[in-house]
Amino acid sequence: MASHPTLKATFASRAATATHPLNAYLFKLMDLKASNLCLSADVATAHELLYFADRIGPAIVVLKTHHDMVSGWDFHPQHGTGAKLAALARRHGFLIFEDRKFGDIGNTVELQYTSGSARIIEWAHIVNVNMVPGKASVTSLANAASRWLERYPCEVHTSVTVGTPTTDQFDQEEEEQDAAPDTQETPAASRREDGRKGSIVSVTTVTQKYESALSPRMNKGISEGDEMLFAGIEEAPLERGLLILAQMSSQGNFMNKEYTQACVEAAREHKGFVMGFVSQECLNTQDDDIFVHMTPGCQLPPEGEANGALKGDGKGQQYNTPADIIGVAGSDIAIVGRGILKASDPYEEAERYRSAAWKAYTERLR
């Protein structure tokens, strides 16, 4: 693992310096929840997916999905499975990562991302790309996300407050004309024609705020309980983010050093859209590399067997502990699937993984 300033930086400080809005939000969530855990919810039915999202949501900061392997997925944009996941993400404080691994020519991946029955861009904060077709796939996804955001429906919410001002406020009236354009303060009386001060009865403040018209809070197709927002943080930004699949945990994969380096170059060329990487190690090397890293193939030995050996799944998957992934390899988020989903108590097991991954992060800071 190469030395880089991000390895010793707290998630709170990285939130303050992040240039991608979703990275800033994600690092805030990680610091607030003391979690750097992603649940890979590889389940067979929509019912199971929503159950685990609700049950494990408090312990995670990212939920990784594969919508195309889920039977019973409801594609309705307002009250379907994607909309319900978005409401749970808002309530429990996590981001949705659709592990689509786009891997085709630019025009095709644009359509796969924004169109079709799933309309992934509408409910998934994050997606990823397999960059085998070349850098054009990254460019095309970035352009598609930009066009989608430009057309995104918003609602304007106006609040009006009335209060009695002080003399100092009256004296500063002219200076306040340079205030932000979305806030306007109007005195009930101004200066008289003879130049003397007139009396002020009240000040009316009109504030306008732009909010997504498709927010779970605004969505009438979602039940009342789903409009809640996780305490301590605002709603997730509308901007979408991309992770580049730079390295894999499967045995014998073909992602060599040249491929990985090309992934890093593409990320640097699209910092407004690319959040970071799915990788096996930290790939930040230049001073201005501030990408986030998420690593699959995480497993803990059975409880009480701290030195127990980790075995593969017999299908090519190789496992590492949170200490190896976060502390040694320098990744930021550990991705765990079957280790949690198949546990007798999935939430307690998720807490065990969360605690282990967070401990590896805090020890890395020392």
Side-chain angles (χ1 to χ4, degrees), residues 121-122 147-154 211-215 238 240:
I121 196 171
E122 294 184 5
R147 289 194 298 270
W148 173 82
L149 188 60
E150 290 174 356
R151 300 192 302 266
Y152 198 92
C154 291
E211 183 173 358
S212 161
L214 301 181
S215 162
L238 291 178
R240 291 329 196 198

Side-chain angles (χ1 to χ4, degrees), residues 179-197:
D182 62 343
T183 302
Q184 181 179 3
E185 294 192 0
T186 307
S190 187
R191 292 184 179 274
R192 292 168 27 170
E193 292 183 359
D194 58 8
R196 291 184 295 170
K197 294 179 182 179

